[in-house]
Amino acid sequence: MELRDVETFLEVARALHFGRAAERLNVSQGRVSQIIKALEREVGGALFERSSRRVRLTPLGERFRTGAADGYDRLTTTLRECRAVARQVGDRLRIGYQWTMGGQFTERLVSAFSEGHPHCEVFVNSLVYRTGGRMEPLAEGSDVDLALWWSPGGDSSAVEAPGLVVGPVLAAVPRGVLVPSAHPLARRAAITLDDLTPYELLRLPDTVGARMRERWLPTRTGSGKALRHTDEDMSRLTGTPDLPVEDVLALVARGRGLHLTVANLLDRVPFPGLAVVPVLDMPPMVVVPVWPATRETATVRAFVESAVRATTADRAAATRRARVAARVGRRGQPLAGGTGGTGVATQSG
């Protein structure tokens, strides 16, 4: 027996008319009849007496109405109160983000949320990537409510895991390869994965899940050619299970290997003597919000909804600026000012 079935019975009992009850419930009269017949089978007896002239409750129907009305009222009141509590945004939210996304992007999302929920204090902390790609900041006992996480492969599937909720894509960034400034590829405007086959790429730790590892650092190009990886993984080369981005950049600068990353990495983390060359045939790296299913709250949901609105608005504004720039460029006039921007997002995920 479902709540909707009890509601239908009580409406027929009030109206004593199947047609009027159906109108009030916004369903067909036939559907009302089906529900009442199913209830009568479940109860074990007739709840209404029906004739061509009128409908009235049987003694069994009267008894059922008394108990059902009391239970229905209590249940709907409780449901309404619980929904109101669930919709309440709390007074504290702690967010972690991967530093290479850039503080400007994260701050844009936090500011948009705070504008709508000024009573909620937001704490923001950058996160160190650990070998294995696990979500340590979200582990049991952590005080991080939600993390903004990189997911390679153009969608969120690389970070999906039991017990975690992965929200919608908030931003997408083209891929690139990090090389020393004196490297032959540094002079190229862009490359494909096939261009990387002569060179060694820094191998991700073996503890990284297979799905994450293959999407971040594929073993073969689109044409089937094998990509070369270093014998030792990055955690062995740096001597630590943590992978601060500066340590990875230092490995590339010392010639230990090239690194597949995001195309705007050096905008976020400047490092002399390095360059990032765009890789044209790789899906973008995307940013997704991730949080433990057991700690989902109205506050977390409100932040994600606000972030989606903010990034959607940013992409629309960027599209308008690009159209204006294209029109001005076609007229051969110089562009006044920059294109602006709010951080990571370069295209829709």
Side-chain angles (χ1 to χ4, degrees), residues 100-113:
T100 48
M101 294 173 186
Q104 183 182 12
F105 171 74
T106 305
E107 180 57 31
R108 170 75 179 95
L109 302 186
V110 171
S111 295
F113 172 76

Side-chain angles (χ1 to χ4, degrees), residues 48 59-60 75 89 126 174 196 218 268 275 293 299 310 321 337 346:
F48 295 97
L60 184 63
L75 183 57
V89 174
S126 62
L196 293 175
R268 309 282 172 251
T299 309
R321 288 194 296 269
T346 60

